[in-house]
Amino acid sequence: MTQPHLREWPGHADRPALALHCMMGNGSYWRPIAAQLADLVQITAPDMPGHGQSPDWTGAPDFHTAVTRQTAALIQRPLDLIGHSIGATVALRIAVAAPEAVRSLTLIEPVLFAAARDADADAEMDRVRDLARAGQPEDAARRFLDTWGGVSWEAQTPSSRARLTRQIALVADTNDTLLHDRANLLREGGLEAIDAPVLLVMGAQSPPVIAAIADALAQRMQDVGRATVPDAAHMLPITHPRQVADLIRLNLERAS
């Protein structure tokens, strides 16, 4: 297994935390949040395969499993897990598989579409996958970013467009996991076994399916809080880092 590139910031060394980024992002965007939480935790943020400075994804195992295995290998003792978007689904997968490894769990916009089937969201993800597999990766990347990226395709540099176009294959590979729960995150007793404090965070301007996913997950969890950031959309750790850090702090304090 290749090792991910790790980004680590000063913090409370006796309390480690892992922060997992979204698809097409990298760990660097956790920097301002890590700075605000340095008195409580020391945050490490791995770059997923094919992202940031990590090696490319090899194609096997499937992308979600590859990220989960790399992340789980970094856990030496119970710690605080923070995830955004696909990173939140990886954090959730670890918590379901090994609840004893998680001190607190903060899930920001988890995109586990299988938890709350939405015809529009499912169709959009299928369209992105179909474009990618039909040899139109740039069209697929543009379409994906229109909904989930919070960035203008036209404003990207040629090198950024090339990177995003390469990464769309990773998005397509996660369809079975996120839409059809290939990893069996929703198995009976799985979510219920998480006894760490959980916080579900979403942006008020996010696609409606995000609230439905949060509803479905929260109904099955033992100790869960909910928070919505006004005027924010899917990329709120980047656009609203102060508010996100304040919310993460609340969940960290519940687990102290």
Side-chain angles (χ1 to χ4, degrees):
M1 183 188 305
T2 58
Q3 296 299 308
H5 176 76
L6 301 178
R7 303 169 192 267
E8 188 172 82
W9 297 279
H12 197 303
D14 289 336
R15 187 171 179 181
L18 284 177
L20 311 179
H21 65 79
C22 68
M23 190 71 81
M24 295 183 168
N26 63 67
S28 66
Y29 70 66
W30 294 107
R31 179 186 298 274
I33 292 173
Q36 287 185 240
L37 298 174
D39 61 311
L40 274 182
V41 292
Q42 182 170 39
I43 289 181
T44 297
D47 288 343
M48 294 180 186
H51 293 73
Q53 298 180 46
S54 282
D56 287 341
W57 173 53
T58 62
D62 68 272
F63 184 75
H64 201 277
T65 298
V67 176
T68 302
R69 289 179 181 175
Q70 284 192 351
T71 305
L74 300 173
I75 301 176
Q76 304 301 318
R77 56 173 165 150
L79 48 64
D80 300 284
L81 269 182
I82 304 161
H84 170 220
S85 194
I86 188 175
T89 69
V90 171
L92 182 61
R93 186 171 177 177
I94 291 170
V96 168
E100 70 280 1
V102 181
R103 183 170 179 173
S104 73
L105 182 63
T106 302
L107 305 176
I108 304 167
E109 299 256 327
V111 287
L112 186 58
F113 300 111
R117 301 310 299 267
D118 179 286
D120 291 338
D122 289 2
E124 187 60 31
M125 290 301 294
D126 284 340
R127 181 61 175 154
V128 168
R129 179 203 58 198
D130 292 346
L131 284 169
R133 293 180 177 175
Q136 302 176 63
E138 184 170 314
D139 290 339
R142 184 196 297 264
R143 190 175 187 111
F144 179 77
L145 290 170
D146 280 347
T147 302
W148 299 106
V151 298
S152 165
W153 180 263
E154 288 70 23
Q156 301 304 302
T157 64
S159 62
S160 292
R161 291 185 187 184
R163 171 180 57 81
L164 295 167
T165 299
R166 289 195 305 272
Q167 290 173 333
I168 202 64
L170 310 181
V171 176
D173 190 74
T174 62
N175 267 36
D176 281 347
T177 298
L178 302 184
L179 271 70
H180 307 298
D181 194 24
R182 176 178 174 176
N184 204 18
L185 277 73
L186 300 174
R187 61 184 177 269
E188 184 177 353
L191 297 175
E192 292 82 357
I194 301 171
D195 57 2
V198 180
L199 178 64
L200 292 161
V201 181
M202 59 176 285
Q205 305 303 319
S206 292
V209 68
I210 292 295
I213 292 169
D215 289 343
L217 296 179
Q219 288 173 8
R220 295 180 51 189
M221 290 176 161
Q222 294 185 43
D223 182 3
V224 61
R226 299 276 300 273
T228 300
V229 178
D231 301 319
H234 185 63
M235 298 304 291
L236 64 166
I238 295 175
T239 60
H240 294 70
R242 180 183 59 78
Q243 294 93 323
V244 169
D246 287 344
L247 292 170
I248 295 172
R249 177 179 292 278
L250 292 174
N251 204 40
L252 295 174
E253 289 174 343
R254 289 206 298 141
S256 60

